[in-house]
Amino acid sequence: MKKIAITAVLAAGANLMGAVPAYAQLRVEVSGVGSMQIPVAIAAFGNESMTPQQISGIIKDDLSRSGYFKIIDTGAVITETTPVNFDEWKQRGAEALVVGSVQNLADGRFDVRYKLLDTMKSSTLSGFAVATPPANTRLTAHKIADDIYEKLTGVRGAFSTRIAYVTKSGSEYRLEVADADGDGVKVALRSNEPIISPAWSADGTKVAYVSFEAKKPVVWVQNLVTGERRVVANYKGSNSAPAWSPDGSRLAIALSRDGLTQIYTVGADGSDLKKLTTSSGIDTEPQFSADGQSIYFLSDRSGGPQIYRISVNGGEAKRVTFNGSYNITPRISPDGNTLAYISRREGKFQLYALDLVSGQEQRLSDTSKDESPSFSPNGRYIMYATESGRRAALAVVSIDGKVKQRLTVQAGDIREPTWGPFMK
């Protein structure tokens, strides 16, 4: 391995990649709204000017970006101890009111307190207090937004999760990790050779990916806490398309070691390699089902690329996609009920979702060069790569297709997104 070609970034301490310098932030543009918007009034928090970033502003941005909330600006500071006239907020159309405050602690941390008030029932719906270091101000605000989202929609919020993706700038490739809103970008890996197919482990501490630093595709796993990297698949031919099992113990991968590319599973440490498919076609892009008992994969065994499903113990593979002659890159929703994939129709590569219960299919994107879909951990959104003005960009669409976001960087192309899991 050439030291000049690739550098793994080591991070000290318990914070994931905490010592790594940040790079250009992603710019987020939002269009469309959800089928139903909940009106929420968000007040400025008491004393929040002492924090590095305004907590109430981050909460507003999170909820607005989701497409499911109509934000009502209170125009005033309201703390969690301020008496509230619920009738006034009902008259202003707010179904909920968010209030809070910030105080300095002796050890340098902030005591952040928040309440979510139900204006319709004139009661407290939720709230908590947390002591947070200044560096975690954004994370605390995201967690408050998560709580609001869950209490008002019944679905767990994903604002405090992270995303990973690959940026190409000049001749350099960077595997970067950022907050779900594109802020706090940090570099996990940089290389003069391509990096593709990043995939998060279920606990959010590791990322598997394919690196070409050895002048061929090799599957690596990197610990984001320590920066440690290890090869898990470097066999003859191509080693590609890693995907984690839900319990984090194994990876599904595609290998051409015996000729045609086929699906294998391997232990997360690179041991116990098992061959899963043996076909006369090319089998690749494996993805574990939500329960870990099956693997979805791409195969051209029927004459064109389609998506199949096979038991993790092997056996007969069953075809899943039948609409269109070209369906690739399967991704399964966290609840196991929806399959996302890229389909080529009328010359366009677009994102589709298939309801595996009803069999109903829906096109979710209106662009024409889409790739690499990835579900949010709550299943409400799908992130994917596309093109914007001849440059690669990331996009996010709600599962009903109504809310769309575009994430771009000022310099370089951005591809291969993968949405991280909920953090415990």
Side-chain angles (χ1 to χ4, degrees):
M1 180 172 62
K2 295 181 180 179
K3 292 184 179 179
I4 193 172
I6 194 158
T7 304
V9 180
L10 302 180
N15 290 332
L16 294 181
M17 301 187 304
V20 183
Y23 274 71
Q25 305 300 305
L26 294 170
R27 189 168 61 111
V28 183
E29 302 171 14
V30 183
S31 62
V33 296
S35 55
M36 179 184 69
Q37 283 197 301
I38 303 171
V40 180
I42 301 176
F45 281 27
N47 298 320
E48 68 178 348
S49 61
M50 69 177 64
T51 60
Q53 293 164 302
Q54 190 183 56
I55 290 176
S56 62
I58 297 169
I59 296 169
K60 288 178 186 177
D61 289 344
D62 281 347
L63 298 182
S64 296
R65 198 174 64 254
S66 76
Y68 292 102
F69 298 90
K70 177 183 177 182
I71 305 302
I72 299 172
D73 196 344
T74 66
V77 174
I78 306 177
T79 74
E80 75 283 1
T81 60
T82 303
V84 173
N85 183 333
F86 288 103
D87 288 336
E88 175 188 347
W89 292 107
K90 279 189 278 191
Q91 290 173 6
R92 292 181 62 173
E95 294 183 9
L97 172 64
V98 178
V99 299
S101 67
V102 180
Q103 297 293 335
N104 270 323
L105 296 176
D107 61 4
R109 293 181 298 169
F110 297 122
D111 180 24
V112 180
R113 296 174 179 268
Y114 129 85
K115 273 187 181 180
L116 174 63
L117 304 174
D118 185 332
T119 61
M120 299 293 104
K121 297 181 180 179
S122 302
S123 62
T124 299
L125 187 58
S126 186
F128 56 75
V130 60
T132 182
N136 286 353
T137 298
R138 287 194 69 85
L139 178 60
T140 299
H142 290 323
K143 287 185 176 297
I144 293 173
D146 283 344
D147 188 66
I148 297 167
Y149 188 98
E150 182 172 6
K151 295 301 188 297
L152 297 183
T153 70
V155 177
R156 187 172 178 181
F159 304 115
S160 61
T161 59
R162 295 174 301 152
I163 59 176
Y165 50 86
V166 176
T167 298
K168 184 178 186 295
S169 182
S171 61
E172 182 182 67
Y173 296 84
R174 294 192 301 269
L175 174 62
E176 299 181 345
V177 176
D179 297 343
D181 63 353
D183 204 278
V185 178
K186 295 179 174 65
V187 178
L189 187 72
R190 63 178 76 233
S191 177
N192 290 338
E193 303 296 337
I195 304 167
I196 63 172
S197 305
W200 288 92
S201 63
D203 64 1
T205 65
K206 302 179 185 70
V207 174
Y209 52 84
V210 176
S211 170
F212 284 74
E213 64 199 78
K215 306 302 181 183
K216 60 172 288 189
V218 176
V219 177
W220 293 75
V221 167
Q222 180 167 333
N223 186 310
L224 296 178
V225 179
T226 66
E228 177 190 2
R229 310 166 66 223
R230 73 161 62 199
V231 172
V232 296
N234 184 15
Y235 296 95
K236 176 184 176 182
S238 175
N239 307 266
S240 62
W244 291 88
S245 62
D247 66 3
S249 66
R250 297 188 69 77
L251 290 163
I253 54 178
L255 304 177
S256 64
R257 56 176 295 187
D258 298 324
L260 292 175
T261 300
Q262 299 289 295
I263 306 300
Y264 294 73
T265 63
V266 65
D269 61 357
S271 65
D272 191 28
L273 182 70
K274 294 180 179 178
K275 191 173 185 179
L276 195 61
T277 64
T278 303
S279 74
S280 58
I282 294 175
D283 298 342
T284 187
E285 296 188 340
Q287 289 286 310
F288 278 91
S289 60
D291 62 8
Q293 298 304 302
S294 302
I295 290 178
Y296 292 86
F297 65 98
L298 166 66
S299 179
D300 65 355
R301 62 182 65 192
S302 61
Q306 296 291 344
I307 296 167
Y308 291 77
R309 179 175 178 168
I310 192 170
S311 166
V312 291
N313 299 315
E316 181 185 0
K318 296 184 178 180
R319 184 169 164 177
V320 178
T321 54
F322 292 90
N323 294 333
S325 61
Y326 189 103
N327 297 300
I328 63 173
T329 320
R331 298 291 187 268
I332 195 72
S333 62
D335 64 7
N337 293 332
T338 304
L339 181 72
Y341 48 93
I342 303 298
S343 185
R344 185 186 67 193
R345 303 181 193 184
E346 299 179 350
K348 297 180 179 180
F349 293 83
Q350 296 181 304
L351 174 65
Y352 282 75
L354 175 66
D355 186 318
L356 295 173
V357 178
S358 68
Q360 183 175 357
E361 183 188 56
Q362 181 181 5
R363 179 171 60 82
L364 296 179
S365 69
D366 51 16
T367 40
S368 60
K369 295 182 179 180
D370 304 335
E371 59 185 38
S372 306
S374 178
F375 275 94
S376 64
N378 63 5
R380 275 288 183 99
Y381 304 89
I382 301 174
M383 178 174 286
Y384 60 99
T386 186
E387 284 195 4
S388 176
R390 295 186 178 180
R391 286 176 52 192
L394 302 185
V396 177
V397 62
S398 57
I399 196 64
D400 60 5
K402 295 182 181 297
V403 182
K404 292 180 171 64
Q405 303 172 26
R406 185 69 56 88
L407 294 82
T408 57
V409 290
Q410 289 185 340
D413 289 337
I414 181 169
R415 296 184 182 275
E416 305 278 345
T418 176
W419 205 317
F422 289 121
M423 299 298 288
K424 295 181 180 179

